[in-house]
Amino acid sequence: MRRSLVLLLLVCFLTCFQTTILSADEDAKANTKASGRIEAAGTVLDEIEAAPDQRIPEEVLGSAECVAVVPSLLKGGFVVGGRYGKGVASCRTPKGWSAPAFFTIGGGSFGLQIGGQAVDLVMLIMNKNGMNNLLSSQFKLGADASAAAGPVGRHASADTDWKMRAEVLTYSRARGLFAGLELHGAVIKQDKDSTREFYGRMVPFKTSLTGEIEPPKAAYPFLSTLAKWAQQASK
């Protein structure tokens, strides 16, 4: 009887231990996915800004309130198209660039199109109103916030009205080509799953993007790259 009880307790212990290990492994994998997006976003921004003439103009990047990057936005369709991707954003705060916020972007488009491709997407939120829309954790480009394709080049032309015409400037890179991108109708929402995976709890956009929490070390691959290019653009 005693031997059976000991065996039963041992089986229960091993089962609980295995469950704990598996759960920890799943959490680690999830956090790796979120961290991987951080690293990919930093790489995208670094590669775009390192280009000599096809890049975000210094005046534009230096004036942006927030920067959002979506590595590999999926575009595709047959007559009716669609877009979907996952990205990360950061905003300026008195202490520097904020802790990252994770989001999804999706929406439909209509036109004579066929096939599909993955593009890297960069969005610059240019003023306080656009930032307030971002802080709401969900908004629609073209409805809640005006959006337009951003100018491209080392410097923005003197006659461009990029400061006045849009709250969000959008860019895309596909097959080595970098250009402004129209994203009218795309919906941006907080990626709650990735947020919980990265922070270990739910962190609202307003908490992370206004500097209420310190950025984890895992955020540095994106934030350090962003700070480097933003500082250079402001000189």
Side-chain angles (χ1 to χ4, degrees):
M1 182 68 180
R2 182 181 296 177
R3 180 178 297 178
S4 299
L5 182 59
V6 170
L7 288 174
L8 180 61
L9 290 174
L10 181 60
V11 170
C12 290
F13 173 77
L14 291 175
T15 301
C16 292
F17 180 75
Q18 184 179 29
T19 301
T20 301
I21 293 297
L22 290 174
S23 177
D25 185 56
E26 289 298 319
D27 289 343
K29 288 180 180 178
N31 190 267
T32 300
K33 289 182 180 179
S35 298
R37 194 190 311 178
I38 291 283
E39 294 178 2
T43 299
V44 167
L45 191 59
D46 218 10
E47 292 176 351
I48 287 173
E49 287 302 286
D53 298 314
Q54 294 294 309
R55 57 190 290 187
I56 301 169
E58 293 179 353
E59 297 88 344
V60 177
L61 182 58
S63 300
E65 294 285 345
C66 309
V67 176
V69 180
V70 181
S72 297
L73 172 75
L74 298 178
K75 297 173 60 182
F78 184 85
V79 181
V80 177
R83 302 176 290 261
Y84 182 77
K86 294 184 176 183
V88 60
S90 178
C91 294
R92 295 181 190 270
T93 75
K95 299 179 181 179
W97 291 93
S98 72
F102 295 86
F103 65 89
T104 63
I105 179 169
S109 61
F110 186 84
L112 297 177
Q113 54 183 304
I114 186 171
Q117 65 177 156
V119 302
D120 298 320
L121 170 67
V122 177
M123 296 182 290
L124 304 184
I125 291 80
M126 301 306 300
N127 52 41
K128 293 296 183 183
N129 191 46
M131 184 175 176
N132 288 335
N133 280 307
L134 183 61
L135 295 179
S136 71
S137 298
Q138 177 174 338
F139 68 98
K140 187 175 183 179
L141 294 176
D144 300 317
S146 59
V152 174
R154 185 177 294 274
H155 296 285
S157 301
D159 58 351
T160 186
D161 57 351
W162 57 267
K163 283 189 176 182
M164 302 293 293
R165 65 195 178 104
E167 295 166 357
V168 181
L169 296 178
T170 55
Y171 296 87
S172 69
R173 183 183 66 165
R175 297 172 184 173
L177 298 177
F178 183 63
L181 174 71
E182 292 290 350
L183 274 178
H184 186 84
V187 176
I188 294 175
K189 298 180 181 179
Q190 183 172 22
D191 185 348
K192 296 181 179 179
D193 290 339
S194 293
T195 300
R196 292 190 182 97
E197 291 165 3
F198 189 74
Y199 289 105
R201 66 187 191 282
M202 187 61 205
V203 178
F205 268 19
K206 189 173 183 180
T207 300
S208 58
L209 294 178
T210 57
E212 293 183 27
I213 60 173
E214 290 294 323
K217 288 184 178 180
Y220 289 177
F222 175 56
L223 299 186
S224 59
T225 300
L226 177 55
K228 176 183 68 175
W229 292 111
Q231 183 178 17
Q232 182 171 315
S234 299
K235 291 182 179 179

